[in-house]
Structure formats: structure tokens, C-alpha cells
Amino acid sequence: MNRLLKREGGSVPVERVTLRVSDFTDLSDQEAADLLEDGAEAGIYSLRRSNSGSSAIVGVTPQGEEPDVITDAFGEQQHENVDFRVLSVVTDSINDALHDAGYTDFATLANADLDDIAGLTGTLTESRAEVLIEEAQSHVPVGYRLAEEAATYYTHRSDPETNSGVARVHDLSTVTDTVGDPLYLSEGWDPEDERGMYVSDIGRNAENPVPTGLHILDDPDYPSVPKAADHPDAGYDALPVDEYGDVVPPAVPIDPRLQLPLDELIAKKLARGLVPIRVVGPRGSGKNYLIKYLCHKTNRGYQSLDVDRATEPEDLFGPLVPDGDVIIPRNGAVKQGLLNGDTIVINEFPVMQAGAAIALHRLLNEGTLLVKSHGELVEPHPSARLVITMNPPTREYRDSEPMNSATRGRFRSFEQPYIQSVEEEVETIDRQVNHDRDVVDRPTLQKIVQFAHQTRENESWPTISTRNLTILCEHIDDGVSPKAAVKNVLWGVAEPNQYPEDAHETLNDYL
């Protein structure tokens, strides 16, 4: 039961245990039932009874050492002297030689010098030793790797003189650097040269890339350009990279009405100048990731702003503040972003007060911003862009109010659904989570994504989004079983009127 609870991810019906116990041991159904009953009375098992009278095991206190029959059925647990034979090149003799040489865990083996490993046995060649060390890295307990990553991040955010961590406060109104110029200008190319623009070569366009006209800018070091995860200044919001160090592209859906890839459509609209764009899609479908990816590929500044019902025009454009004997305007995030040439993304736009949205109408219509309280007419930087995102006004997103029709009509609107192709979503998640080690094997990931697609088709079940899939894989990386990770995510995203347990029976068909 100790192993089964971890693998199943929570409670297991007593009836299921008694019927399946013969798969693992030589006990009969009745003998298993008697042991469970005696164990419950002794406090070994924790049971929970439903209204129908059936009971499930929700916890267990292991007694003594694990029997060999259970270890054989469920696999080895982590011990002091691990079995290196799980690595593809390790034989019995190599396993013994590694232990004799003092390697007792995967962490020390992963950090071993190649010359120290090669030649420990007659069959352990240099090429085999290289594979051995590489595979060992994927078996290192996640805690060691997390500690190393945290130390790296702490170093990046430390005062170089004291080596102590420091907080950073950036006053957006004082960040007056502007984005770079179009690359075709600095390189002397023609404006239509494909080397100087974003070419859609992902998703459906992978085989036949499509030039979009969205110019690449020439300053990749501009502060608000989204960073790759391996960049020295990368933060927690950095874009993940694959095994080759390339930023993982989004899984690009097809707009259901326009029937073109969304990255191509949005890039072409961004190429038209300050054309307001609206992206509508369910939570976790990758709306912001797609915009960040486009900004990263074209060296454009990315400023994301979350708004709510209390957002007022001065939160967007800045208040008037005293400066000695006079009152002067202080720039807000939207105004400063327009001046700097950033791509501004306003999330959950419809929940704003009507006054705040209407204050943007002149910008949406004419490409200039009139700040009434400041008495200023702002002509944005030519690279400035505006994108808003929102959830669809459906039952699941009942807090998402429909947008005012006068405002809605000013946007070029696109729908970003969840990825329709299981294979495409598997490929994207695989590149994100398995780029430097195997967190979850491909067949298991395939089953998880297939189940996630089922949750998106059943309104009574909690929905597992693309973002949830990456969180789910993170749980697996922490040592959780795949089924337990799925159940945890289902529970975490469930609405009050949804019951995650309703989906568990179907989950059993996958995992």
C-alpha cells in the first residue's frame, strides 16, 4: 500500500486492493482483506468511508523493511549504495567496479572525471564512460540540481561587492532607453530581406516558412527583450531552451476561423504598425508565451500589465505628482512603454473600468495617445505595439466580462484555442521539460497529454491546460508518480462545481 498510494496519487479503494493483490503477492483476496482489517484496527492503515458505505485507503504507516516481492514489483527505491545497472552501459562487473571505486550515488558519478571512470574494467571504454556519466546526470536527485540552480540565480541577484542578495526596484518612468532600430537599416539590407524579419517556421509552417514582414530590431541587449533561460540576466520568467540552447517555440494553434497559424497572423498584424490586437483564449493556452516568443525572436521590448476592476487611467498613463511648487506628470507603464517602443500586453483587459478602456480609444483609432489629465498628446515610438489578452466569456470564466462593443470593434481579434494536435503538444512539452535530462519518458508524456485533451472536451471535469502540463511535469521531476501529479493538477484547477474524482476512472485508462 505504501508504494501503491504513491503510484496512484492518493486514496485507493479497498475492493481494488483485495482484487489486485494477487498481482504482486501470493495472498488470496480474503487474506488481503483480513490483513487490511487487522491493520486498520492497529492504526497501520487510515480508511475513509463514502456515503455509499464503500471504503478507501488514504494513508499507511510502513512496517519494517520492504519485502523483496514488493521491490521486484515496483522497482528499486533510493538507497545508500544505488544500483548503477539502471544505466544502459552498466553491467554487473561495471556496477561492482564503480562501488569499489567509491561511487555510491548518482550525484558523485555524474560529477566524475572521465579519465577516472574509463578503464575501471576491461569493457568500460572511454566512449562508454562518457555515456555513463551523461545518463547518470538524469538520475541525480532533483534536490541537488535545484540547489545548484538556486545558487546560480542568487549569484546573479547579488551585490558583487558583498555577495549578498539584493532586491531591485526599477522605476519604469526613468527607463528611457529605446528599442533598437530595424536590422535592415544597420546591415544595409533591403526592407523586404528575409534575414531582417520574423519568418514563421514553426507548427504548420515548419515545412514551408512564411515571411511575415515583422522587422527584427538590432539591439538584443535592450533590457525588456525577453531572455532565454541560459542568458546571464535570465530571471524566473525566462523562456525555456532546448538541448541545443535554442528557445523552445510555442505550440502554435490554427485560428479556427482564419485557418492560419497564430504566430503568422499576429506577426503580420504587428508588422502593420500600432494596430491593436486582441487574443482570446482559455487559461494556460499560451497567449503570453506566443507574444514573448515573437518579441524574443525580433528583439522587441515586452511589457506585460495585469489589470483589474480598480484600474484607472492614471494607472496606465501615470499620475500628476508635486515637484516643488509645480505639478508634473509621472509616466505610467503604458505611456513609458509607448515612448520606449515596447510591445505592451494588457492582460484581462475587459475587467477594467469603462473609463480606463475608453481612455485608450484615440490610441486604438489614430495611433496617438491623449492623456487628458496631463494635457499631453503622445506620438508613440514607431516600434511600439499594443496587444490585449482575455479569456472567453464562457461559464468556466464567468468573471470574464464581455468587452464593450465600441472598444471591441477597434481590435483585430484572434482566437487561441488549446493545441488540437496531441503530437504537436507532446513535442512542445517534451522540448521544454526534457531538454537536458529525461524528466518524463515520451510514452508517459503522450498518455498524459491525451488525457489532458479529454479534460478539455468534458465541461464537468477540471481542464488541464498547456501551462498545467508543464507544472505537472515539474511535480514528476520532484519525484511524484505521473498519476499522482495528474490528480494533483486536476484538484488544483477544479472549479467549485467540478469534482476531480469524476475524471479519475478515465485517468486509469491512461496511467
Side-chain angles (χ1 to χ4, degrees), residues 18 67 143 160 210 243 278 288 294 314 354 369 472:
T18 56
V210 177
E243 58 184 319
R278 178 174 73 130
N288 282 83
L294 291 174
E314 70 172 24
L369 175 68
L472 189 155

Side-chain angles (χ1 to χ4, degrees), residues 8-81:
E8 293 293 307
S11 62
V12 180
V14 169
E15 294 81 2
R16 185 176 177 202
V17 177
T18 56
L19 291 173
R20 293 195 56 200
V21 71
S22 59
D23 294 343
F24 305 102
T25 74
D26 57 0
L27 294 172
S28 68
D29 297 353
Q30 187 57 52
E31 287 172 324
D34 292 342
L35 280 173
L36 288 175
E37 186 175 341
D38 294 342
E41 292 178 0
I44 296 173
Y45 299 107
S46 302
L47 303 181
R48 180 180 62 200
R49 294 192 179 276
S50 66
N51 295 332
S52 63
S54 61
S55 59
I57 301 171
V58 297
V60 64
T61 303
Q63 306 293 304
E65 294 294 322
E66 181 175 85
D68 291 341
V69 65
I70 300 302
T71 305
D72 292 342
F74 287 89
E76 290 282 347
Q77 298 194 87
Q78 188 84 10
H79 297 293
E80 285 188 15
N81 290 321

